[in-house]
Amino acid sequence: MSNNIAFFDTKPYDRQSFDSVNRGYGASITYFDAHLDINTVNLTPGFNAVCAFVNDTIDAAVIDQLVENGVRLIALRCAGFNNVDFKAAFRRIHVVRVPAYSPHAVAEHALALIMSLNRKTHKAYSRTRDGNFSINGLLGFDMHGKTAGIIGTGKIGRCMIEILLGFGMKVLAFDKHRDPSLAFASSANFQYAELKDIYAKSDIISLHCPLTPETEHMINARTIEQMKPGVMIINTGRGKLIQTAALIHGLKTKKIGAAGLDVYEEESDYFFEDKSTEILTDDMLARLLTFPNVLITSHQAFFTAEALRGIAETTLQNVKEFFDGGYLQNEICYQCGGTCLKKEKKRCF
Ligand code: NAI
């Protein structure tokens, strides 16, 4: 069967990287600008696969319609999969993702947020271009010797820890599943810790865990209260890890010293789009943008040439594996979250 894929939420850079990598795969690709959701799912009859991204809505209603339209595979071109209703998909439509493309890309962006917020290079850039060479208000701190709290020690969290250890920081890490075999585990500056200790001792907290019912709003009024005054919070994970109202309160009361956000709870209406000529109707986002110590980027942490190529290669390989009829190494389902039948090298269902 030919691989006839409907690509949703595509931008020029997606088309460029997929067209280039697809020369080696020969899939038939139709690109749509629109998000995949209940309003656009009716573009899918005639396709046997859809390719979706972080802000597409793949809920039960969309899945019902995809199945009815004859679509057999949802190929996510991202690592996170919180936007899919796996219960609705189970035993009806397969889901694959790109579990890793460049964890370095995301960790390096998290570092860029830290460095800019600390040394205020984003402010210095506009000042000097405006002929203002004053350094008043640009005071930073040495990262060397400070404590970073890393939540989630998976692929991205590990890159982040290695980078921060290189700065001479002390790193406290929390993960639901600790891995004592980590390369840096024996470093005197690295230690697994409980969340309460991370909150109490960290100068910078960086989030690298997935969004799950357990992690949703893990940064909230109660946990912010436990943090060090002036803490810097970095989120390149998913927006809903942070309860935005609590973050804003923490910034207003100066409990939080700075926030670097590559993701935002309600980002789907804004991120990746040019809204510069429109009125911003999201009051929380508007408020966040007024703080001088908040730096927001538009879900661009993954956005490097290496990562785009890796995403295209793994996505097209995932689609090929599906239509070749074999084992799907990057399948995820309701039961497994990515681990089902991996030893037997079988599909989830
Ligand atoms: P990963 O699966 O390699 O690591 C996630 C880690 O989080 C695992 O070690 C897991 O045990 C841990 N974890 C799970 N539940 C937890 C909990 N309740 N508390 C603490 N730790 C928990 O994933 P990877 O590749 O490191 O990505 C992490 C997250 O980063 C993704 O889930 C995704 O949401 C986000 N991401 C953001 C990107 C961006 O452009 N901003 C790009 C790629 C990923």
Side-chain angles (χ1 to χ4, degrees):
M1 180 185 282
S2 78
N3 313 339
N4 198 4
I5 319 168
F7 268 62
F8 285 88
D9 190 19
T10 54
K11 296 282 183 283
Y13 45 83
D14 295 312
R15 295 170 196 211
Q16 213 172 10
S17 61
F18 273 93
D19 283 347
S20 160
V21 173
N22 192 36
R23 286 192 205 110
Y25 284 89
S28 165
I29 295 180
T30 302
Y31 295 110
F32 295 111
D33 293 345
H35 282 282
L36 174 59
D37 59 25
I38 197 63
N39 302 311
T40 58
V41 66
N42 275 329
L43 293 166
T44 61
F47 293 97
N48 46 26
V50 292
C51 181
F53 197 44
V54 289
N55 289 326
D56 291 323
T57 306
I58 311 168
D59 58 13
V62 168
I63 287 169
D64 287 348
Q65 199 60 55
L66 286 172
V67 171
E68 198 177 312
N69 292 350
V71 176
R72 298 170 55 215
L73 178 71
I74 298 167
L76 299 172
R77 55 178 193 280
C78 50
F81 45 81
N82 50 284
N83 53 338
V84 179
D85 184 335
F86 283 97
K87 196 170 180 182
F90 193 51
R91 297 191 199 282
R92 299 172 73 210
I93 187 164
H94 291 264
V95 184
V96 287
R97 66 168 176 146
V98 183
Y101 33 93
S102 173
H104 305 284
V106 182
E108 288 169 14
H109 189 78
L111 178 76
L113 292 174
I114 294 174
M115 298 289 285
S116 302
L117 285 165
N118 178 14
R119 305 307 294 269
K120 299 159 182 77
T121 42
H122 55 306
K123 297 260 161 218
Y125 174 81
S126 359
R127 273 194 196 182
T128 52
R129 287 174 76 87
D130 196 32
N132 177 356
F133 298 96
S134 157
I135 60 170
N136 260 338
L138 303 185
L139 189 67
F141 59 84
D142 280 13
M143 286 169 63
H144 184 94
K146 297 290 186 306
T147 299
I150 302 299
I151 301 179
T153 57
K155 292 175 285 299
I156 297 169
R158 288 171 202 200
C159 290
M160 193 63 188
I161 292 167
E162 283 181 347
I163 290 172
L164 297 177
L165 288 174
F167 273 75
M169 293 192 81
K170 297 190 183 75
V171 176
L172 298 176
F174 175 80
D175 197 292
K176 204 178 160 188
H177 310 285
R178 293 184 181 195
D179 182 354
S181 70
L182 295 178
F184 42 73
S186 60
S187 161
N189 278 340
F190 172 80
Q191 202 180 316
Y192 270 115
E194 293 304 318
L195 278 176
K196 66 175 176 31
D197 294 319
I198 291 190
Y199 295 145
K201 295 179 182 164
S202 301
D203 301 289
I204 299 170
I205 294 175
S206 193
L207 307 176
H208 301 288
C209 56
L211 174 63
T212 63
E214 200 181 343
T215 60
E216 182 168 340
H217 288 174
M218 67 187 300
I219 305 300
N220 54 45
R222 186 181 52 79
T223 53
I224 290 170
E225 190 50 42
Q226 299 168 46
M227 294 178 192
K228 265 177 122 167
V231 61
M232 180 190 293
I233 299 178
I234 302 294
N235 189 8
T236 58
R238 283 290 180 269
K240 278 196 188 327
L241 295 175
I242 298 182
Q243 191 176 34
T244 311
L247 180 76
I248 290 173
H249 181 72
L251 286 157
K252 280 166 77 175
T253 57
K254 302 191 184 148
K255 175 82 180 185
I256 297 171
L261 310 174
D262 186 53
V263 286
Y264 165 62
E265 296 207 64
E266 304 299 336
E267 70 179 46
S268 58
D269 287 343
Y270 291 93
F271 283 20
F272 303 113
E273 308 300 333
D274 180 358
K275 300 277 184 184
S276 55
T277 56
E278 294 178 25
I279 302 297
L280 193 55
T281 53
D282 181 326
D283 289 351
M284 295 263 195
L285 182 57
R287 183 67 178 100
L288 281 174
L289 289 167
T290 66
F291 291 102
N293 50 351
V294 171
L295 185 49
I296 297 180
T297 54
S298 191
H299 209 134
Q300 71 172 81
F302 75 99
F303 198 50
T304 65
E306 291 77 4
L308 282 190
R309 184 161 190 90
I311 288 169
E313 265 164 7
T314 306
T315 303
L316 291 172
Q317 181 60 29
N318 285 342
V319 174
K320 181 178 177 324
E321 279 174 7
F322 179 77
F323 289 107
D324 284 351
Y327 163 61
L328 293 171
Q329 56 176 324
N330 294 321
E331 181 168 23
I332 26 174
C333 77
Y334 179 55
Q335 280 182 335
C336 79
T339 54
C340 235
L341 300 177
K342 285 278 188 269
K343 281 199 186 112
E344 292 97 328
K345 296 209 163 198
K346 284 187 185 156
R347 293 186 175 192
C348 291
F349 52 88

